[in-house]
Amino acid sequence: QYNAAWLARELIQNFVDHNPEDPSTLNGVDIVIQDLPKSKTMPKGGKRFVIEGNWKFENPTGVISPHSEKSAGMETAGGNGIGLKQSALRIIRDFGGQKFEINGEGWTVSYDMVKKDDINKEMAKSDDGPTNAQVRHDWLVADLAKTDNHGKNSYVIETDNPELIKALAELPNLG
């Protein structure tokens, strides 16, 4: 069961597993919780949660592909692999998260959901593929872009879901 509490635990565990100085600790990690103003997507306002580490996260492969970087012989959560993407999917799809972003060394990945109906409409327009092909589920997609970020890495989550906010507020205690 991937409830909000499980998601919060998975996020912090994935993050601290990659702490090079003090693996599996919050040493060198900052967790910032900010209030967000009311907006069209969040009419009551919301919260931004930022988990930031004072180390480089150089290779984005684990956050954009169906793969995991679990270290052999270590009891870790897998470190920025399948569990992290599963958490992003659940936060966006099931808890209405408006933003889930990972910032690494010179890059950022923003996750989003693409609706199956939109995919099927685009495939139907294509002259290159089969005319009767259809997908049955929404897709989690990752948009990889260059940034000026150097020397630090972070996860950024924005939401107005009260259950998720309550769970993510526990990140410092979970870590």
Side-chain angles (χ1 to χ4, degrees):
Q1 292 198 350
Y2 305 113
N3 59 26
W6 182 90
L7 293 170
R9 188 224 43 93
E10 181 72 13
L11 289 174
I12 199 68
Q13 183 69 50
N14 269 282
F15 198 86
V16 300
D17 279 354
H18 274 266
N19 185 339
E21 297 289 322
D22 291 305
S24 302
T25 74
L26 286 175
N27 296 343
V29 176
D30 293 316
I31 298 172
V32 178
I33 303 170
Q34 301 167 319
D35 291 323
L36 295 174
K38 295 177 184 179
S39 67
K40 285 184 181 181
T41 58
M42 289 190 273
K44 295 181 181 179
K47 298 277 187 188
R48 175 182 295 129
F49 295 86
V50 180
I51 309 168
E52 184 176 68
N54 293 319
W55 63 88
K56 294 178 181 182
F57 183 2
E58 294 182 300
N59 188 340
T61 301
V63 299
I64 59 173
S65 70
H67 132 131
S68 185
E69 296 178 347
K70 187 168 181 124
S71 303
M74 288 186 66
E75 292 187 31
T76 67
N80 303 310
I82 292 168
L84 179 60
K85 290 179 286 288
Q86 184 177 34
S87 296
L89 181 142
R90 296 295 310 252
I91 285 171
I92 295 167
R93 183 190 69 193
D94 301 342
F95 291 92
Q98 285 83 1
K99 181 178 194 174
F100 194 112
E101 177 180 276
I102 300 169
N103 296 290
E105 187 68 15
W107 54 266
T108 186
V109 167
S110 298
Y111 291 112
D112 202 358
M113 295 296 298
V114 178
K115 299 292 183 188
K116 67 179 178 176
D117 293 342
D118 294 338
I119 297 167
N120 289 328
K121 284 178 190 173
E122 288 300 314
M123 287 191 337
K125 289 185 208 175
S126 174
D127 293 332
D128 298 333
T131 57
N132 61 350
Q134 289 202 334
V135 298
R136 296 184 296 161
H137 305 285
D138 298 342
W139 288 4
L140 176 70
V141 295
D143 181 31
L144 176 63
K146 289 183 181 181
T147 67
D148 293 330
N149 182 61
H150 294 287
K152 294 186 176 200
N153 72 99
S154 63
Y155 297 170
V156 180
I157 297 133
E158 293 180 0
T159 185
D160 62 353
N161 180 291
E163 181 184 0
L164 187 58
I165 289 170
K166 182 179 177 185
L168 293 176
E170 292 297 315
L171 287 170
N173 298 326
L174 293 170

